[in-house]
Amino acid sequence: QEKLLESGGGSVQAGGSLRLSCAASGFSFPAVSMAWFRQAAEKKREGVAAIYTNDGSTYYADSVKGRFTISQDDALTTFYLQMNDLKPEDSGMYYCAAKMASGGPWTYIHAYSSWGPGTQVTVSS
């Protein structure tokens, strides 16, 4: 059974850092890409960052460029999101997601077939 599990969320003050991890298990073959999405209260889920597993190419939302870094381990079983210089507007539930087929923009939520339960990030001013 394919499973994703996030960890590393928490509460920090503005300017602080957090590192999120996403452990993938049960996949018969590596995902085409892995992404981090977030959802704040009463807002739509939005793409934060994505990494394509074959070549390590990365993509970021404009709001996090230069502050967040997505990465993967060599075994392609754990994915990370390093978040620096956090801002209150970064608060929300963060989800990792796996996309098993190529095509379409990385931000298209419905292209991702597996999702983790999420980890909460709260940034106070």
Side-chain angles (χ1 to χ4, degrees), residues 75-86:
L76 302 182
T77 57
T78 306
F79 299 83
Y80 306 96
L81 185 68
Q82 178 66 43
M83 306 187 294
N84 298 328
D85 190 22
L86 283 160

Side-chain angles (χ1 to χ4, degrees), residues 26-121:
F27 288 81
S28 56
F29 54 89
V32 171
S33 64
M34 297 292 295
W36 287 94
F37 286 78
R38 68 186 180 191
Q39 188 167 17
E42 301 182 359
K43 291 190 175 181
K44 292 182 179 180
R45 192 170 298 189
E46 62 175 357
V48 175
I51 186 166
Y52 281 75
T53 58
N54 61 338
D55 63 3
S57 56
T58 56
Y59 298 84
Y60 297 93
D62 288 342
S63 60
V64 307
K65 281 181 182 176
R67 301 188 297 122
F68 290 13
T69 303
I70 189 172
S71 61
Q72 59 189 11
D73 69 354
D74 291 342
L76 302 182
T77 57
T78 306
F79 299 83
Y80 306 96
L81 185 68
Q82 178 66 43
M83 306 187 294
N84 298 328
D85 190 22
L86 283 160
K87 302 177 181 181
E89 52 264 41
D90 293 319
S91 297
M93 187 69 80
Y94 280 69
Y95 302 90
C96 68
K99 185 178 178 184
M100 306 307 290
S102 60
W106 68 270
T107 53
Y108 184 52
I109 289 177
H110 300 293
Y112 293 85
S113 55
S114 296
W115 291 81
T119 186
Q120 179 68 39
V121 171

Side-chain angles (χ1 to χ4, degrees), residues 9-27:
S11 297
V12 296
Q13 290 190 326
S17 298
L18 284 173
R19 189 191 195 203
L20 305 184
S21 298
C22 173
S25 61
F27 288 81

